[in-house]
Amino acid sequence: MAGTEKKLLTELHESGIYDFPNSLTFFIDPVRILNRNYTQFRVSPSSYYSRFFTSNFTIDELPEHKQENEESFRVSASLGKRKRNQKKKKNQQCYSLNEKELLADQRHQEIRPLLVKAHEELLRAKELLDVICELNCEIDGWERCVDLNSGGINEEDEISFIELGKVWQAPLYEIALDYTQASKQVQVNGGSLDTQHIDQRLLPLFNNLVSNETNYDMVAEFQTSQYILPKDSCFYMSELEQIHTLVPANLECGFNFIMVDPPWENRSAYQKSKYPTLPNRHFLSLPIKQLTHTSGALVALWVTNREKLRKFVENELFPAWGVRYAATLYWLKVKADGSLICDLDLFHHRPYECLLLGYTGKPVTDSELTATAKSLKDQVVMTIPGDYSRKPPVGGISILLFAASTENLLDLLLEYVPGPRPARCIELFAREMMAGWTSWGNEPLHFQDRRYFSRKITENCTNYREL
């Protein structure tokens, strides 16, 4: 078993995916997967894993005069938590669930064994747990693009593209694409280097398809900020009303993998003012059918666990889009020590989210759909969460297949995508970019800010810390 786990850890090191044997369960490292998109930059582990990592200090490392206070605080906090849990249980015993809550709890109880089994497998993989607890460590030979002494990334200093897109000057804003680095790379491969070569192009920022068609990272500049565009990627930044601009004139140029992460109405997003939400009815107008390739498309939709939302998707949204449900991918969120981010049965805050998978367009017959649905089964993906509402790049795993040198490299979703290869992929309501994808939304550059990345500081260094 030790040899098997070592092999699986090697695969995690190379691909970012740990496949539990004889199971539909995976642990993935989003940072490793995302970094397959880049050549000169890397997503910074410490910026991605900004939550759910505990402090490294122990009580013995505190000054003596503070140890007693620290210990008293921990005991007090423990007692307070115990009292709150007892009060919560008492309230739950006195509270009767309504009809929708009963349906939500029934749905939870049906998939609970699958989630429990997945988590138990993670806790048994001791060597994997040792690796997980160090995932936020910076990579040797790379340094953060933000000054660590300044306290890290200050979200208040980030540009609000949502607000800028609403002002009358929006059509006048331009983004500068720096082709200098790409030119240098081409010349290096050709045997010469012209450090004076500068090529910068200005393009409209809003309501315009901005592309990096090179095989290298591209730095884009807007106002006082820089953004890293991964190789072979493009984005279209606009409000919902302009999304029809992306509909191709010829469906042969349509998309066969469509990822959707809508800004569902929810109290948490509103209270934290993280992003504006939209009523459910607005998503009925998404042109999923018109974006679909003639061979059909796999549609992946992120949803919360609210029963009202699930019923809306099943009864209204998927029928309006022409999507036939096939399976669900469950994203189970864990901390650095392998524990769940909260109790599995916590009613109003489950430690998992759902990615609903379905097909639109072809297959055209019920028998074809049944055969496809049987092959696409429910799966569990475990990760340590990144920033608020930042989803793991399960769609980005598709790039691993094309870059693979081994035949057995894992892939979660691409093998189920109908139509041509390489797959034509689009993400709607995107907040970051991936190589080979079109990213649409009103802030697709949010996580492309250079401050979320690391840069190379030595000529000779490995991409990742040895596992």
Side-chain angles (χ1 to χ4, degrees):
M1 185 65 184
T4 301
E5 187 162 4
K6 184 176 181 180
K7 180 177 180 295
L8 295 174
L9 289 173
T10 300
E11 291 179 349
L12 174 65
H13 171 72
E14 295 174 350
S15 67
I17 310 172
Y18 185 101
D19 179 16
F20 291 90
N22 305 316
S23 172
L24 292 173
T25 301
F26 304 85
F27 178 87
I28 68 173
D29 175 12
V31 172
R32 280 183 168 86
I33 293 172
L34 287 172
N35 282 340
R36 297 294 290 263
N37 291 265
Y38 300 97
T39 56
Q40 299 301 306
F41 290 88
R42 292 288 183 269
V43 175
S44 170
S46 59
S47 68
Y48 186 95
Y49 294 117
S50 57
R51 305 185 296 164
F52 303 113
F53 269 91
T54 57
S55 176
N56 293 326
F57 77 85
T58 65
I59 189 171
D60 294 331
E61 295 172 335
L62 289 172
E64 291 185 5
H65 67 280
K66 292 186 178 181
Q67 291 183 17
E68 183 177 350
N69 292 336
E70 176 71 11
E71 182 64 26
S72 298
F73 172 79
R74 292 185 181 183
V75 172
S76 175
S78 177
L79 292 175
K81 183 177 181 181
R82 188 181 306 171
K83 289 180 180 179
R84 289 194 298 271
N85 288 338
Q86 291 174 349
K87 183 178 180 180
K88 185 185 299 182
K89 289 181 180 179
K90 184 177 180 180
N91 291 338
Q92 289 176 344
Q93 290 173 355
C94 300
Y95 176 74
S96 58
L97 302 178
N98 60 37
E99 182 179 354
K100 289 182 179 179
E101 290 171 333
L102 286 171
L103 291 174
D105 187 62
Q106 179 182 350
R107 196 188 296 270
H108 169 72
Q109 295 300 330
E110 289 174 355
I111 60 99
R112 189 180 188 279
L114 178 67
L115 301 176
V116 169
K117 181 181 178 182
H119 190 229
E120 288 176 345
E121 289 188 88
L122 174 64
L123 295 180
R124 285 195 295 266
K126 301 301 182 183
E127 293 186 23
L128 174 61
L129 292 175
D130 291 339
V131 172
I132 292 175
C133 70
E134 296 184 353
L135 287 181
N136 70 328
C137 296
E138 286 301 318
I139 303 168
D140 291 337
W142 299 76
E143 69 173 359
R144 289 281 301 276
C145 292
V146 62
D147 183 6
L148 296 178
N149 296 323
S150 66
I153 296 174
N154 186 355
E155 293 186 4
E156 294 181 357
D157 294 336
E158 293 185 4
I159 294 175
S160 175
F161 292 106
I162 296 175
E163 296 301 323
L164 287 180
K166 296 177 181 178
V167 301
W168 68 267
Q169 301 100 322
L172 305 178
Y173 286 126
E174 293 182 320
I175 188 169
L177 303 188
D178 186 0
Y179 284 81
T180 304
Q181 188 64 33
S183 300
K184 288 181 180 179
Q185 291 289 339
V186 172
Q187 292 163 10
V188 167
N189 294 336
S192 63
L193 175 62
D194 180 9
T195 56
Q196 302 301 316
H197 183 88
I198 298 177
D199 185 5
Q200 192 176 73
R201 304 175 191 176
L202 295 176
L203 295 172
L205 176 63
F206 293 101
N207 303 326
N208 179 54
L209 190 66
V210 179
S211 303
N212 175 13
E213 298 177 350
T214 72
N215 292 324
Y216 309 98
D217 307 337
M218 182 175 293
V219 178
E221 298 181 17
F222 177 70
Q223 294 185 356
T224 59
S225 297
Q226 293 184 326
Y227 302 88
I228 310 303
L229 308 187
K231 58 187 179 182
D232 187 28
S233 66
C234 59
F235 72 87
Y236 192 97
M237 192 182 309
S238 76
E239 295 295 327
L240 181 60
E241 294 78 8
Q242 284 76 42
I243 189 176
H244 288 80
T245 307
L246 287 175
V247 173
N250 184 352
L251 290 182
E252 288 291 341
C253 299
F255 300 94
N256 54 342
F257 191 2
I258 303 175
M259 181 83 68
V260 192
D261 184 16
W264 302 111
E265 282 188 314
N266 70 85
R267 187 176 304 171
S268 177
Y270 176 79
Q271 291 175 339
K272 297 180 180 181
S273 300
K274 289 293 185 178
Y275 54 83
T277 60
L278 291 174
N280 293 345
R281 66 180 184 276
H282 286 233
F283 307 123
L284 294 169
S285 64
L286 290 176
I288 300 299
K289 294 179 182 178
Q290 295 89 331
L291 291 170
T292 299
H293 191 273
T294 52
S295 300
L298 175 65
V299 177
L301 173 69
W302 285 105
V303 297
T304 65
N305 293 306
R306 292 176 57 216
E307 186 61 25
K308 180 180 179 180
L309 176 58
R310 295 295 294 271
K311 287 298 183 183
F312 169 74
V313 172
E314 294 169 357
N315 299 332
E316 298 185 55
L317 192 62
F318 269 9
W321 290 354
V323 173
R324 294 149 294 189
Y325 172 79
T328 299
L329 187 149
Y330 296 96
W331 172 31
L332 190 59
K333 307 173 188 179
V334 300
K335 299 179 183 179
D337 61 1
S339 63
L340 299 177
I341 64 168
C342 63
D343 189 274
L344 182 60
D345 298 311
L346 191 61
F347 187 82
H348 291 291
H349 187 69
R350 308 288 193 197
Y352 61 89
E353 294 184 45
C354 302
L355 183 66
L356 304 183
L357 306 172
Y359 288 95
T360 185
K362 293 183 178 182
V364 294
T365 66
D366 290 339
S367 60
E368 288 177 313
L369 177 61
T370 301
T372 305
K374 285 183 178 179
S375 62
L376 183 55
K377 298 179 180 180
D378 293 351
Q379 303 176 56
V380 179
V381 169
M382 292 176 285
T383 77
I384 301 173
D387 201 358
Y388 181 83
S389 190
R390 190 176 190 178
K391 302 301 190 297
V394 291
I397 294 174
S398 61
I399 66 171
L400 299 181
L401 188 63
F402 302 129
S405 58
T406 57
E407 296 181 357
N408 62 345
L409 189 60
L410 302 169
D411 182 64
L412 297 183
L413 296 178
L414 186 69
E415 60 181 300
Y416 305 109
V417 174
R421 296 291 188 275
R424 292 182 50 81
C425 308
I426 186 171
E427 182 176 4
L428 307 183
F429 303 103
R431 302 179 76 204
E432 64 185 320
M433 301 172 64
M434 292 182 290
W437 283 66
T438 298
S439 301
W440 171 85
N442 57 7
E443 51 175 353
L445 294 180
H446 180 80
F447 289 115
Q448 300 306 131
D449 192 302
R450 184 166 178 168
R451 294 178 294 175
Y452 288 101
F453 290 80
S454 300
R455 59 190 170 195
K456 187 182 294 187
I457 57 176
T458 61
E459 291 298 326
N460 299 314
C461 66
T462 57
N463 287 343
Y464 300 106
R465 184 186 302 274
E466 292 295 331
L467 295 174

